[in-house]
C-alpha cells in the first residue's frame, strides 16, 4: 500500500473488514507511514483481531506490537474518535507484506478491555506492560501483575500525570512500615507466577537462576519450577534494568533523545539510532542524500558484526568453551577502533542525526575499513571449525529447544531466530529502507530452529555484512552528509547565519530547543542484529514527542523462553539463554 493510499484513507483490509463485520464501526486515520490505520469500536475489537489473525483472506499472524497512548493532553487529534486512552495493535501480514495498525478508543480514568492472550499468546507480556505503564486492565488475562515496575509502585509511569523527573517527586523516605511492605512483596509465592507447589504425589522445587547469575548476562531472574532435574516451568522476572526510556522520549527534545536510543541495545549502537531518526524524518518529510544512506548502512552492518561477535564468544563460553570469548572480543575491539575514529564514541556512538549524520567521514576512513575487511574473514574461517564444529557445542545445542516457523511467529520472534526455522524474512529485503535495495546480499536461513541453527544463521550473517560493507567502501557516493531541510539539526551556519539576524535566530532555536515536528504519527522498523527494532512516534506539533514507543526484539524473545524450556534440564536453560542473544536494557527499556 502506498503512502498516498494511506493518506486518502482507502485500504483493501478496511473493505474486507466492513464486509465481514457490517455492524462494526471502522474509521481510517491518515498517518505519515505507509500502513493503514483503522479505529474500531471497542465492542467489536476483539472479534476483529481474532479474525485478522486466523480467518482473513491474507491473515496477519504476527502481533508485532501492542501498546497504548494517554490522549488526555493531546491537542491535535483531528478526525480521530474521542478517547482518554487508546489501545494500539500493530499487526503484520507476510502474505500481503503489509502492516495494519488497529486502534481502540477507551474511556475513563482506569479503563478495561478484553484480553487477546487466548488466541495471541505473545500478547501476555504486552498487556501486562500496558497495565503496568498506563493502568488499563485486561479482562480474562491469566496473570495481570506489574511486569517492569515493583509490585509496590504507586501510579503508572506513562500516564501524563506521572512525574518524569525525580525532582518532580517528593523527598524519599524509608520508614519501618515501608521496609516491611517491601520485604513482604519480595516473598516468593509460586501461585502469583502461575505455578503450583505440588501435583498429585510430587512436590516441586523452585530455584532462582539470577538475577546475579553469570549465565543470565545481566540482571535477569528466571524462576525454575523443578521436578528433580527436569524443568517443569521457567518464568522470567524482568524489570531490574528498567530506566524509563519511553518516558524520557516524552521529556527530551527530538534531537537530544538520540543518545538515549543507543543505550537500549548497547551491543548494537546505531541499530537503535537508525529507526528513531528514520521515524522522525518520516514524520517531518525529510529526505536525506544518498551519501547519508550509504554511510548509515555501512555503520549499521559494522555494528551487526560487532553484536554477533559478542554473541559468538559468550555463546561458546556459556556452553563450556572458554577460549573463543577472548578472540571475538579482540576482533570487536578492532571494529570499535573504526567506530571511534568516525564517531568519537565506541559502544555508544550517538552519531546519527535527524537528516543525516553528525559530520562527514574522516580522512583515511576507507583504509581502516579495508584493513578490517581483510582481517575478519580469516578469523571467521577459524571460528567455524573451532566453535561451530566443536563436538561439545553440538552436543549442547543440536536438537535443543527446536521451534517451527509458526511457533516463532506466534510468539513474536524475529531476526536470526525466526530465520533459523527456514523462514527467509528479512526487512532489509522485504521492505528495503535506507537504500538497502541497492546492495547485493543473501538472507541466511537454517532448518530446525534449534540452538545450533540459530548460531549457523548468525555466523552466515557476518559474512553477508562484510559483503555489504565492501560495497559501501567501494561505491561511497559523493555529496553532503546531511539534508538541507530546515528541520534538520543543527542547521548549517553558512552562509546566512553570520549575515542576518533572522537566520541566526533560526539557528539558535534549532540548536537550543530543537525542531518543531509537525503533528502526526510514524512507525519505522529496521532489521537489527537480534531482531526487529522499531520506533512508533506521535507528534503533537512540539519540540518533543508526545508518545515514544520502543519495540525491541529481546522483549518477546525472553517471553518465549518458558515455551522452549519445559521438559529440559537446568544446563539447557543456560544454553537457551546464550542462543537467544538478548540484552537486558533491550527487554526493560
Amino acid at each position: 500500500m502506498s503512502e498516498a493510499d494511506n493518506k486518502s484513507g482507502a485500504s483493501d483490509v478496511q473493505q474486507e473488514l466492513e464486509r465481514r463485520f457490517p455492524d462494526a464501526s471502522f474509521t481510517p486515520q491518515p498517518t505519515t507511514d505507509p500502513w493503514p490505520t483503522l479505529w474500531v469500536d471497542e465492542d467489536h475489537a476483539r472479534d476483529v483481531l481474532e479474525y485478522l489473525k486466523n480467518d482473513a483472506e491474507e491473515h496477519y499472524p504476527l502481533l508485532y506490537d501492542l501498546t497504548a497512548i494517554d490522549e488526555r493532553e493531546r491537542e491535535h487529534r483531528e478526525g480521530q474518535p474521542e478517547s482518554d486512552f487508546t489501545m494500539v495493535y500493530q499487526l503484520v501480514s507476510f502474505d500481503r507484506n503489509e502492516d495494519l495498525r488497529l486502534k481502540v478508543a477507551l474511556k475513563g480514568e482506569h479503563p478495561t478491555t478484553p484480553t487477546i492472550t487466548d488466541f495471541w499468546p505473545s500478547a501476555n507480556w504486552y498487556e501486562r506492560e500496558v497495565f503496568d505503564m498506563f493502568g488499563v486492565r485486561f479482562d480474562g488475562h491469566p496473570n495481570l501483575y506489574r511486569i517492569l515496575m515493583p509490585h509496590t509502585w504507586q501510579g503508572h509511569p506513562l500516564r501524563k500525570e506521572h512525574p518524569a523527573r525525580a525532582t518532580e517527586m517528593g523527598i524519599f523516605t524509608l520508614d519501618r512500615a515501608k521496609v516491611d511492605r517491601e520485604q513482604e512483596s519480595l516473598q516468593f509465592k509460586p501461585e502469583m507466577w502461575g505455578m503450583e507447589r505440588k501435583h498429585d504425589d510430587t512436590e516441586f522445587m523452585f530455584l532462582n537462576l539470577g538475577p546475579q547469575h553469570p549465565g543470565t548476562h545481566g540482571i535477569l531472574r528466571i524462576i525454575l519450577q523443578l521436578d528433580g532435574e527436569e524443568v517443569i516451568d521457567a518464568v522470567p522476572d524482568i524489570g531490574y534494568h528498567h530506566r524509563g526510556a519511553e518516558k524520557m522520549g516524552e521529556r527530551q527534545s527530538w534531537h537530544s533523545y538520540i543518545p538515549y536510543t543507543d543505550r537500549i541495545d548497547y551491543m548494537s549502537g546505531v541499530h537503535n539510532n537508525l529507526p528513531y531518526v528514520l521515524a522522525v524524518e518520516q514524520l517531518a518529510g525529510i529526505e536525506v542524500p544518498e551519501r547519508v544512506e550509504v554511510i548509515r548502512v555501512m555503520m549499521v552492518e559494522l555494528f551487526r558484526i560487532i553484536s554477533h561477535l559478542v554473541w559468538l564468544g559468550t555463546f561458546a563460553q556459556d556452553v563450556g568453551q572458554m577460549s573463543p570469548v577472548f578472540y571475538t572480543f579482540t576482533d570487536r575491539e578492532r571494529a570499535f577502533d573504526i567506530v571511534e575514529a568516525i564517531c568519537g564514541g565506541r559502544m555508544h556512538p550517538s552519531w546519527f542525526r535527524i537528516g543525516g549524520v553528525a559530520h562527514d567521514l574522516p580522512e583515511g576512513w576507507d583504509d581502516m575499513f579495508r584493513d578490517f575487511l581483510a582481517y575478519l574473514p580469516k578469523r571467521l574461517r577459524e571460528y567455524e571449525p573451532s566453535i561451530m564444529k566443536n563436538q561439545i557445542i553440538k552436543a549442547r545445542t543440536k536438537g535443543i529447544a527446536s521451534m517451527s516457523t509458526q511457533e516463532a511467529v506466534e510468539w513474536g520472534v524475529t531476526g536470526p531466530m525466526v530465520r533459523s526455522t527456514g523462514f527467509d524474512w528479512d526487512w532489509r529485503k522485504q521492505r528495503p529502507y535506507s537504500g538497502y535495495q541497492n546492495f547485493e546480499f543473501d538472507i541466511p536461513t537454517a532448518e530446525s530452529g534449534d540452538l545450533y541453527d540459530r548460531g549457523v544463521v548468525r555466523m552466515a550473517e557476518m559474512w553477508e555484512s562484510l559483503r555489504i560493507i565492501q560495497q559501501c567502501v567501494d561505491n561511497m557516493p559523493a555529496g553532503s552528509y546531511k539534508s538541507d531541510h530546515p528541520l534538520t539539526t543543527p542547521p548549517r551556519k553558512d552562509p546566512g547565519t553570520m549575515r542576518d539576524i533572522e537566520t541566526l535566530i533560526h539557528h539558535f532555536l534549532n540548536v537550543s530547543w530543537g525542531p518543531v515536528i509537525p503533528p502526526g504519527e510514524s512507525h519505522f522498523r529496521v532489521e537489527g542484529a537480534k531482531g526487529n527494532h522499531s520506533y512508533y512516534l506521535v507528534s503533537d506539533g512540539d519540540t518533543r514527542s508526545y508518545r515514544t514507543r520502543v519495540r525491541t526484539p529481546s522483549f518477546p524473545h525472553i517471553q518465549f523462553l518458558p515455551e522452549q524450556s519445559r521438559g529440559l534440564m537446568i544446563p539447557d536453560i543456560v544454553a537457551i539463554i546464550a542462543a537467544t542473544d538478548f540484552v537486558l536494557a533491550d527487554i526493560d527499556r
Side-chain angles (χ1 to χ4, degrees):
M1 180 180 180
S2 70
E3 186 172 339
D5 289 335
N6 184 28
K7 289 184 176 179
S8 70
S11 72
D12 294 337
V13 68
Q14 180 181 349
Q15 297 172 17
E16 180 182 340
L17 290 174
E18 287 173 341
R19 289 194 301 268
R20 178 64 178 80
F21 299 94
D23 297 330
S25 172
F26 296 98
T27 305
Q29 176 192 331
T31 58
T32 57
D33 57 30
W35 310 120
T37 298
L38 290 177
W39 291 79
V40 59
D41 60 275
E42 188 179 359
D43 292 340
H44 292 87
R46 179 184 152 85
D47 292 338
V48 168
L49 285 163
E50 188 170 11
Y51 169 78
L52 288 167
K53 178 181 185 288
N54 297 321
D55 302 319
E57 294 174 8
E58 294 175 302
H59 68 146
Y60 292 79
L62 175 60
L63 176 64
Y64 183 77
D65 197 14
L66 187 165
T67 189
I69 304 171
D70 183 346
E71 305 277 16
R72 293 172 298 169
E73 295 182 7
R74 191 171 168 191
E75 296 180 0
H76 298 280
R77 299 192 65 238
E78 294 79 5
Q80 301 179 35
E82 291 186 9
S83 175
D84 292 317
F85 294 87
T86 299
M87 288 300 305
V88 183
Y89 301 86
Q90 187 88 13
L91 315 180
V92 174
S93 170
F94 300 111
D95 294 333
R96 303 175 194 247
N97 192 9
E98 179 180 276
D99 279 25
L100 172 62
R101 187 179 299 114
L102 209 68
K103 289 188 170 187
V104 181
L106 302 179
K107 301 287 185 65
E109 188 71 12
H110 295 282
T112 301
T113 192
T115 184
I116 60 170
T117 53
D118 51 331
F119 56 87
W120 244 315
S122 61
N124 189 311
W125 275 21
Y126 288 112
E127 290 182 351
R128 286 180 63 191
E129 183 183 12
V130 171
F131 164 69
D132 194 356
M133 296 290 112
F134 292 92
V136 177
R137 302 195 68 88
F138 294 87
D139 282 343
H141 191 285
N143 191 33
L144 196 62
Y145 291 95
R146 289 189 184 271
I147 188 170
L148 295 174
M149 307 303 293
H151 297 298
T152 55
W153 190 265
Q154 298 298 310
H156 302 280
L158 287 181
R159 292 167 71 104
K160 292 301 180 181
E161 71 269 15
H162 196 283
R165 290 178 169 86
T167 53
E168 300 170 3
M169 305 175 76
I171 297 174
F172 178 78
T173 58
L174 187 62
D175 54 32
R176 187 68 222 177
K178 184 170 185 179
V179 170
D180 292 341
R181 285 197 304 272
E182 296 295 329
Q183 291 291 345
E184 171 64 23
S185 74
L186 293 174
Q187 294 296 313
F188 175 65
K189 302 178 181 65
E191 297 80 10
M192 178 179 172
W193 302 92
M195 297 185 287
E196 54 185 4
R197 296 176 186 266
K198 59 184 179 180
H199 181 70
D200 295 336
D201 59 346
T202 301
E203 187 170 335
F204 299 119
M205 180 172 68
F206 298 93
L207 178 69
N208 280 323
L209 185 66
Q212 286 84 29
H213 192 285
T216 60
H217 293 270
I219 40 180
L220 167 69
R221 174 191 181 207
I222 300 174
I223 306 164
L224 299 179
Q225 182 185 25
L226 303 172
D227 183 2
E229 284 284 314
E230 182 182 348
V231 176
I232 304 301
D233 205 354
V235 179
D237 181 19
I238 65 173
Y240 297 91
H241 210 301
H242 179 67
R243 295 174 294 176
E246 295 184 7
K247 189 74 170 181
M248 288 188 284
E250 301 173 13
R251 182 189 78 186
Q252 301 298 126
S253 69
W254 296 101
H255 185 69
S256 64
Y257 185 61
I258 293 173
Y260 291 90
T261 64
D262 57 25
R263 270 76 174 171
I264 291 175
D265 175 4
Y266 44 76
M267 298 298 177
S268 297
V270 298
H271 281 267
N272 302 275
N273 304 154
L274 185 59
Y276 175 71
V277 297
L278 288 174
V280 178
E281 288 164 3
Q282 190 169 245
L283 265 175
I286 298 170
E287 294 185 6
V288 301
E290 184 183 4
R291 181 175 178 86
V292 170
E293 290 190 329
V294 177
I295 290 174
R296 286 175 174 178
V297 166
M298 182 172 67
M299 297 304 294
V300 162
E301 294 305 319
L302 181 63
F303 267 96
R304 193 182 311 276
I305 292 173
I306 288 170
S307 179
H308 283 351
L309 286 171
V310 173
W311 163 80
L312 179 61
T314 55
F315 169 72
Q317 183 183 47
D318 285 347
V319 293
Q321 194 177 13
M322 284 296 296
S323 299
V325 71
F326 299 105
Y327 300 132
T328 59
F329 272 64
T330 298
D331 301 340
R332 177 188 183 227
E333 286 302 307
R334 281 184 172 248
F336 274 153
D337 288 342
I338 300 174
V339 177
E340 185 177 24
I342 292 175
C343 306
R346 294 169 75 83
M347 281 186 67
H348 305 305
S350 301
W351 189 64
F352 287 5
R353 295 290 185 271
I354 300 167
V357 293
H359 48 72
D360 209 348
L361 296 170
E363 184 177 347
W365 69 271
D366 50 343
D367 291 334
M368 295 188 72
F369 269 106
R370 292 188 195 280
D371 289 345
F372 185 74
L373 290 168
Y375 163 82
L376 192 61
K378 293 180 289 186
R379 303 285 281 192
L380 295 181
R381 282 191 284 268
E382 292 175 5
Y383 298 147
E384 189 65 36
S386 64
I387 301 176
M388 299 307 294
K389 293 183 180 179
N390 181 285
Q391 291 305 309
I392 296 177
I393 298 286
K394 287 186 174 182
R396 293 288 306 275
T397 59
K398 271 188 169 291
I400 304 297
S402 298
M403 61 179 171
S404 66
T405 300
Q406 181 179 352
E407 285 178 304
V409 171
E410 191 91 348
W411 284 95
V413 174
T414 57
M417 283 186 48
V418 74
R419 289 192 287 275
S420 73
T421 68
F423 189 37
D424 62 343
W425 190 277
D426 188 307
W427 303 99
R428 295 172 296 172
K429 283 284 191 183
Q430 304 296 338
R431 301 182 193 169
Y433 54 89
S434 200
Y436 268 109
Q437 66 273 15
N438 301 320
F439 293 89
E440 293 183 4
F441 62 101
D442 298 318
I443 304 302
T445 61
E447 295 180 0
S448 71
D450 64 9
L451 306 187
Y452 186 80
D453 276 358
R454 300 175 201 180
V456 168
V457 170
R458 293 188 180 102
M459 287 293 295
E461 283 191 356
M462 284 194 273
W463 286 102
E464 296 305 318
S465 291
L466 288 173
R467 283 181 65 189
I468 296 171
I469 293 171
Q470 185 73 64
Q471 294 170 65
C472 292
V473 174
D474 292 342
N475 303 288
M476 181 62 67
S480 176
Y481 63 91
K482 66 172 295 180
S483 170
D484 280 329
H485 194 285
L487 291 179
T488 58
T489 56
R492 295 183 182 277
K493 290 186 177 180
D494 58 331
T497 302
M498 302 302 177
R499 298 185 184 179
D500 63 83
I501 188 65
E502 287 79 11
T503 310
L504 180 61
I505 291 171
H506 173 70
H507 184 280
F508 174 77
L509 292 178
N510 258 1
V511 171
S512 57
W513 292 357
V516 175
I517 301 298
E521 299 180 17
S522 172
H523 174 265
F524 214 107
R525 77 164 58 83
V526 302
E527 188 69 50
K530 296 171 176 56
N532 293 152
H533 299 269
S534 70
Y535 280 77
Y536 171 50
L537 303 177
V538 177
S539 173
D540 205 26
D542 202 347
T543 57
R544 57 186 179 179
S545 169
Y546 183 84
R547 172 76 174 103
T548 299
R549 169 60 178 169
V550 187
R551 193 274 186 191
T552 65
S554 297
F555 187 80
H557 290 179
I558 289 300
Q559 182 181 199
F560 185 47
L561 186 143
E563 293 295 312
Q564 304 172 75
S565 305
R566 296 184 184 106
L568 300 179
M569 300 296 172
I570 296 174
D572 295 325
I573 306 300
V574 176
I576 291 171
I577 292 171
T580 300
D581 187 25
F582 60 87
V583 166
L584 264 301
D586 199 55
I587 301 172
D588 294 351
R589 286 151 287 127

